[in-house]
Structures are given as C-alpha cells and as structure tokens.
Amino acid sequence: MSDSGIADYLPTYASYNWTGSPADYTLATNAQTGGDSRVENLNKWYQSGDTAYIIISSCLVLIMVPGLGFLYSGLARRKSALSMMWACMAAGSIINFQWYFWGYSLTFSPTGQSGFIGDLVHFGLKRVLGNPSPGSPLVSSLLYSFYQMQFCCVTAAIVAGAVAERGRLMPFLVWTFLWATLVYNPIACWAWNANGWAFKYGVMDYAGGGPVEIGSGMSALAYSMVLGKRQEKMMLNFRPHNVSFILLGTVLLWFGWLGFNGGSAFGANLRAVMACWNSNLTATMAAITWTLLDFRLARKWTMVGWCSGTISGLVAATPASGYVDTWGSIVLGIVTGVACNFGTKIKYWIRIDDSMDVFAEHGLAGMIGLMFNALFGVDYIVGLDGVNTGSSNPTTGTGIGGWPIGNYRQFYIQLAYILACTGYAFVMSAILAYIVNYIPGLHLRASEEAELLGMDDDQLGEFAYDYVEVRRDYLAWTPQRTEQYGADPDLPQEDRHGIGEHSKMIKEGSNDAASSGSGSGSGTHNGRFPAQGDRHAVALEDQEKTKHLADRESHGETLTTPAEKKSA
C-alpha cells in the first residue's frame, strides 16, 4: 500500500494498472513487434485470461458462418439448399485469404493517413506479432487480426444470401474478393482505425453496425438488384423448405453472436458481460415483438417469425451493446422488432428481390442500433472495460455517450455515419457487380433452365438430400396405383411437375414437340428433353423398369398396357 492509500499494482508492466493502458508498453524493446521473442517473453504484456477469451470468441464468431449457411438453406427451396451452404462457406474461405493478403493492412494499418483506407504496411501480416492491437491494448495485434478476420468472414457470408436460387457461385466469389477490398475494408477503417474519419469524428460503433450490418445489408441489396428477380412462374406456392434448418442456423448465430459482441470488449471484463446481457435482451424483445406482429395476421405462432425477430435484435445490438444500459436494450429490441418486421415490405416497393431479407434484418436493424447509441448511450458502460475509463468524444468534448449524458450532437454524428455507409456500400457494391457481370465467363446469373433445375444441380452437381425436389410435387398429386413401382409408365416425363409452368418450360425447350414416357430420359440428344429436374434418376429408373418388366414376362405374366409392351 502506498502513502496515498492507493494500492500499487506491481510489476509496472502488469495488466490492469490503476488507470489508463493495461501495461506500460514504453518498456518494450521493439515497439513494432512487442520485443524479441527469442530472448524475452512477449506474453508479459497481456493477461492470459483476456487472450484466451478472445481466442474463444474468434471461434464463436467462426460458427456464425455455417450458421448462416443453415439459415439460408432452410429459407430456400430444397433444390438450391446445398448451394446456399456452399456459398457461405466458400465466401469465408475467400475472406480468410483476402484478410491475410492485404485486408488487415488496408483496414488497420497505423501509417495510412487518408482517413478512408489504410496502406500495405502490414501486407501479408508483416510486423503483426506481440505489439498491442489498434483496437485495444488488452490484446496483441496478432490475436486482434485473427478476431477481426472472422468479422469480415461473417459479413461476406451474410451477403451470400443475395445469390439465392439464381446466382452463379464462381462470379460471386470473384466479386466477394473485390467487395472485401473496396467496401468492407474502407468502412471498417472509417470506424475502427485511429486514423479513420469516422473514428476521429466521434462515431459510436461498438461491434460493426456500419461495416458488418449496413455493409452487408446494402451490398446484398445492390447485388440482388444487378442479379435480377427470380422467375415469377417459379415462385408459385413458394415456402421455406426446412424450418428446422432455419432454427438451427438461428441458434448457431445467437451462440456465435455472444462472441461477436462480447468479444468486442477485447478482454474478459465487465463491458464484455454487459454486451452479452444487452445482446440477449435485445434479441429476446425483438423476437417477442416480431412473433406478436405475425400472430395478429395469421392467428398462429410462427417459428420463422421468431428466428427473424431474434436475428434482427442481435443485429441491432451489434453497434449498441457496448454503449447502452440494459433498459435501453429492452426499448431497442421492441423498436427493432416492429421496424424490421414492416421493413421486409420495402423490397416490394423498390422492386428488388432481396430473397433472404438481408436488407431488412441487417441493414435496417444496424441503422437502428447506431441511432440508439445517440439516444441511449452512456459513458459508464464504456468504462467497464478498464481501458476507456474517462475517455472523451473527440468532436463534442463530452464523455463517450449520447443524450443521457448531455451529448445531443451525437445524433447528427451517427446519422452522417449511417448515410455515408449506406450510400457507399450500395453504390460501390453495385459498380463491382456490374463490372464482374461483364467479364467473359463471369456472368452473375444462371440460365432459366438452371433456375428450374435448381442451383444444387446446376452449380454443384450435389444435393442436400438424396432425392430431387420435383418428386415431392409428383408424388403429391399422382393417383395411388395398385402396383407401387417406380414412375407411372403412361405419364409423360414433362408432366411430372406439379406446376404447369414447369411442364411448359420443358416442352418449349425440347427439339421434339411430342411427349414421351419416362424412358425419354433427360438431355438434349436422342429426342430427350433438356430441362428435367430428376435427370440423374431417369436413366437408372429406365433400367430398373425394363428389368422388372422382363422378369414379369419371364414368369408368364401378360403385359397389358401399350407402354409396358413398348418398354419390354
């Protein structure tokens, strides 16, 4: 105990000193790397608990990528279910390389002075080791770069919802690399780099309302606009094919979001706990609100509505959970649930097929969360991390907060930031999509035939299930037969679709106008129809049918129908 009555915290480089930075980094032998790991222990600058917590949080955020895959897969039709999972996972793979290559440097380099985007001082993670991170002195830049990479991966996976049921995958991945470089990296630099214009302006964006939520929402909207609407004749009786997948994806997202928001305190501290509390409260209230709004129309409870409300609440908590108190999160959840529920109608007004409602649930909810920082943000929440205690807003000179602490100017600061992120993300994403679309071989949209078959068949050649989507409609309306074997031999192949438009498309695509039985197979040769969704099963079906009829004939049975005699 010192003479002043304040406890000493020794040694002087230990984490969590009385105030200010957690460690006296001026004692470092090499400011760029944290020291020489061959002769000294670089871990001395950090608490092992903080390091372990952010490593685990990084893994939690990673779980959100397959969570989005399950969510989008369940929302799509089964013939495109696997392609949505693949798009999310592949987008994450592209970002892993992009972030290592130059993404981290363009976002967080300390020497880029433009305020718009960084330079390449950390190209290939050069000079990223044991020095304190640009986000917090509680963790190393090596760990911080890994954690922030997961944010970019999740954002790209959110945008992947724009390709649903009609977009080609390879052009999307090319676009994703360009998008990360020219959209995500700049917006993240604005908000979180000490040289970013938004950071200097005093913007309050805790975990990514701008780069993650508005960035994904507006980018997905722009990509959907360039891609065009799904064919209306394919939308008859459309419904999510697997609500269980939607719930599974939502639960994985919620689980990962606690690492997303809690980990953005960059340490195992009280601010992280508060962020987790706020995330749960906002998600809960948004889910309740959304479900009640849906119940008033159908007089039935909806699982999809609960999932949609939960996700929109978690999105709104992303920029706000480290700034508002718990009572603010209750209000935020209710407002978000109402606004995003009605926001799903915006895509019809602007005539853009945002098939996964990325704009309504991410873009709009992110804007609401950012504005709530101005209305409900308080400085005593910010100081709970032990690092920002006593920090002040560089523009207003007040503490870091909004109206509750008398900082009324924060409202227009947040509004200006939202408008900048919204306009830049939409325009730049659309420009990149148009550019990629005109590159030979990288046309964004799949063909009409491919859309009928489904993206799984056209883009992957694999399926989420071991049967093809059209068989559900076929079995639903085909009369029951005494002999339940294979397909009805008298039923033309093109008529096995429950929707008339599908049959018409098959007929129009055929060089042979005459109908044929299931023995006609699929393909454009030998008089076969070119657009049959169960084409992989037709050949085997023909073989089995012929074998079956031959067995019947060999046992003395009489083949009664003309189709049976022809097949035999």
Side-chain angles (χ1 to χ4, degrees), residues 100-404:
Y100 163 80
F101 187 67
W102 62 23
Y104 176 72
S105 186
L106 293 177
T107 305
F108 291 108
S109 68
T111 55
Q113 301 297 320
S114 68
F116 176 80
I117 194 170
D119 55 26
L120 296 179
V121 67
H122 292 312
F123 177 81
L125 291 187
K126 289 190 303 182
R127 291 190 285 247
V128 177
L129 195 60
N131 50 314
S133 74
S136 172
L138 294 177
V139 295
S140 67
S141 60
L142 185 64
L143 176 55
Y144 183 78
S145 62
F146 182 74
Y147 180 65
Q148 286 292 342
M149 178 181 69
Q150 309 305 330
F151 278 50
C152 190
C153 288
V154 169
T155 310
I158 295 172
V159 180
V163 306
E165 302 191 330
R166 68 214 189 270
R168 296 176 62 215
L169 296 176
M170 180 55 69
F172 170 71
L173 297 182
V174 174
W175 178 87
T176 297
F177 186 92
L178 299 175
W179 165 86
T181 303
L182 296 175
V183 178
Y184 183 88
N185 295 155
I187 296 179
C189 178
W190 300 352
W192 294 327
N193 191 316
N195 296 318
W197 69 263
F199 187 93
K200 293 181 178 179
Y201 194 38
V203 166
M204 297 167 60
D205 188 353
Y206 175 64
V212 178
E213 308 304 353
I214 295 179
S216 63
M218 299 311 300
S219 297
L221 194 67
Y223 197 93
S224 298
M225 178 189 71
V226 177
L227 197 57
K229 296 181 180 180
R230 289 169 289 181
Q231 298 181 45
E232 292 185 5
K233 57 188 173 184
M234 306 266 188
M235 300 302 294
L236 301 176
N237 196 31
F238 174 79
R239 62 191 182 277
H241 94 278
N242 193 326
V243 180
S244 298
F245 272 14
I246 297 174
L247 175 60
L248 175 61
T250 301
V251 171
L252 290 176
L253 285 172
W254 196 339
F255 182 68
W257 231 302
L258 297 180
F260 198 101
N261 292 348
S264 291
F266 303 115
N269 51 57
L270 289 174
R271 194 181 187 189
V273 180
M274 179 61 73
C276 290
W277 254 115
N278 285 335
S279 299
N280 270 19
L281 289 174
T282 308
T284 298
M285 298 311 300
I288 293 173
T289 304
W290 191 302
T291 305
L292 290 174
L293 288 173
D294 283 355
F295 182 82
R296 89 188 195 282
L297 298 175
R299 297 299 174 185
K300 291 183 181 293
W301 303 111
T302 163
M303 189 78 254
V304 176
W306 182 89
C307 292
S308 299
T310 298
I311 292 171
S312 64
L314 291 167
V315 169
T318 297
S321 57
Y323 290 114
V324 302
D325 206 342
T326 50
W327 61 272
S329 292
I330 298 292
V331 182
L332 176 59
I334 296 173
V335 172
T336 301
V338 174
C340 293
N341 183 284
F342 288 102
T344 57
K345 309 298 186 294
I346 294 177
K347 65 182 180 182
Y348 300 109
W349 301 343
I350 61 179
R351 300 182 182 278
I352 297 177
D353 187 8
D354 181 14
S355 49
M356 298 292 142
D357 285 322
V358 181
F359 168 73
E361 295 187 28
H362 290 271
L364 187 58
M367 298 175 192
I368 295 170
L370 284 168
M371 290 310 303
F372 261 66
N373 286 340
L375 300 176
F376 295 96
V378 285
D379 50 1
Y380 62 85
I381 299 297
V382 179
L384 289 176
D385 61 5
V387 176
N388 291 298
T389 304
S391 298
S392 61
N393 188 301
T395 297
T396 64
T398 65
I400 300 178
W403 288 8

Side-chain angles (χ1 to χ4, degrees), residues 9 38 64-65 72 135 224 233 261 301 303 395 463 548 563:
Y9 287 80
R38 292 169 293 191
M64 296 174 70
V65 176
Y72 289 160
S224 298
K233 57 188 173 184
N261 292 348
W301 303 111
M303 189 78 254
T395 297
F463 300 93
H548 176 71

Side-chain angles (χ1 to χ4, degrees), residues 4 13 27 49 61 75 166 281 291 294 330 384 411 555 565:
S4 62
Y13 58 76
L27 301 176
V61 178
L75 287 170
R166 68 214 189 270
L281 289 174
T291 305
D294 283 355
I330 298 292
L384 289 176
F411 186 89
H555 287 83
K565 294 178 180 178

Side-chain angles (χ1 to χ4, degrees), residues 18-92:
W18 182 250
T19 187
S21 299
D24 185 5
Y25 194 66
T26 60
L27 301 176
T29 58
N30 186 326
Q32 290 186 336
T33 62
D36 187 351
S37 60
R38 292 169 293 191
V39 296
E40 59 183 314
N41 180 15
L42 302 191
N43 297 286
K44 65 186 178 184
W45 306 115
Y46 312 104
Q47 286 233 359
S48 57
D50 290 337
T51 298
Y53 177 61
I54 303 305
I55 291 175
I56 294 173
S57 294
S58 301
C59 298
L60 292 178
V61 178
L62 176 62
I63 287 292
M64 296 174 70
V65 176
L68 285 161
F70 277 107
L71 174 69
Y72 289 160
S73 176
L75 287 170
R77 282 171 291 193
R78 68 184 62 189
K79 62 183 178 181
S80 296
L82 190 63
S83 67
M84 296 309 302
M85 295 183 179
W86 194 95
C88 291
M89 301 308 297

Side-chain angles (χ1 to χ4, degrees), residues 539-557:
L540 181 60
E541 180 184 276
D542 292 343
Q543 295 174 7
E544 292 296 323
K545 185 187 301 180
T546 301
K547 179 181 177 181
H548 176 71
L549 294 175
D551 291 341
R552 288 176 55 191
E553 194 172 23
S554 65
H555 287 83
E557 295 186 32

